[in-house]
Amino acid sequence: MSKPGTAEPVKLIFSLFAQDAGLINETIEKLSAAYGQPDFISEVMRFDYTDYYGAEMGAELVRRFVTMEECVRPECLPDIKLATNEIENAVASNGQRRINIDPGYLSKAHLILATGKSYTHRPYLRDGIYADLTLVYQGKKFCSLPWTYPDYADEKLLLMLGRIREKYLLQLKIAEQ
């Protein structure tokens, strides 16, 4: 019989994309006020893997990834997703989102994103929020899965997430001391 224990803290990560890089920066400030100081903010990069968001948010979207210095409990993910939905709604215009915020967490074993959309690989958490198993860590690298979005399967992004994981492992080691 297994003995239940507590999960390790996880690295909070956000993917933010919008037409306006300034709106992304303002949103990073809001996230910092809620979740502490970022310890990584990616460069601004084009978000052009899909046109799914084009009708709602327009063309030529840009994206940044942000991780927070303080690790969180994995069970906080639904609360964080609901809070980011509120931020999205607060800056919406005429019922259209101007920014998309995808929160998730990185652990030793995987990258989980929060979503409000059900699917076969997305277990229900609570309050209308599902966990999307996006990447797994195997063979000393993050690996995509058959359902991984193409942008998350991009080699450049996988390498960036690997560096974030290294920092996270260091944080865990320091916390143990």
Side-chain angles (χ1 to χ4, degrees):
M1 172 173 68
S2 64
K3 294 188 178 192
T6 58
E8 284 186 308
V10 292
K11 187 77 169 162
L12 185 56
I13 186 167
F14 297 95
S15 163
L16 303 97
F17 58 87
Q19 274 191 321
D20 178 5
L23 179 57
I24 292 174
N25 294 336
E26 291 170 21
T27 305
I28 290 170
E29 289 179 23
K30 290 177 186 174
L31 294 171
S32 298
Y35 303 108
Q37 288 303 304
D39 62 356
F40 173 80
I41 301 175
S42 76
E43 64 186 348
V44 175
M45 54 188 84
R46 290 178 48 194
F47 182 79
D48 56 3
Y49 286 89
T50 180
D51 58 3
Y52 177 83
Y53 299 93
E56 180 181 17
M57 299 178 69
E60 299 185 30
L61 300 174
V62 292
R63 176 191 226 173
R64 293 187 99 167
F65 285 89
V66 178
T67 64
M68 299 313 202
E69 188 174 357
E70 290 293 318
C71 291
V72 298
R73 308 289 322 148
E75 59 268 22
C76 295
L77 192 57
D79 295 324
I80 294 167
K81 177 62 175 170
L82 294 169
T84 59
N85 285 351
E86 288 180 20
I87 294 170
E88 289 178 359
N89 290 334
V91 297
S93 177
N94 298 320
Q96 303 284 326
R97 283 185 300 175
R98 295 177 50 227
I99 190 161
N100 184 89
I101 311 166
D102 289 326
Y105 66 75
L106 187 141
S107 74
K108 290 178 181 176
H110 50 246
L111 173 70
I112 300 284
L113 298 177
T115 181
K117 300 173 194 138
S118 174
Y119 205 66
T120 54
H121 64 280
R122 297 175 177 165
Y124 185 75
L125 298 174
R126 63 175 165 80
D127 300 328
I129 305 301
Y130 298 81
D132 183 328
L133 176 60
T134 302
L135 299 169
V136 295
Y137 195 83
Q138 293 179 323
K140 299 185 180 184
K141 64 180 184 172
F142 278 107
C143 301
S144 62
L145 299 158
W147 52 81
T148 300
Y149 293 118
D151 53 329
Y152 281 92
D154 181 90
E155 190 63 31
K156 189 174 176 181
L157 185 59
L158 293 173
L159 290 171
M160 180 188 76
L161 292 170
R163 288 189 302 273
I164 292 168
R165 183 181 179 274
E166 288 173 13
K167 186 176 207 171
Y168 162 68
L169 294 176
L170 250 156
Q171 286 178 288
L172 289 179
K173 187 178 265 189
I174 291 168
E176 288 175 3
Q177 296 175 354

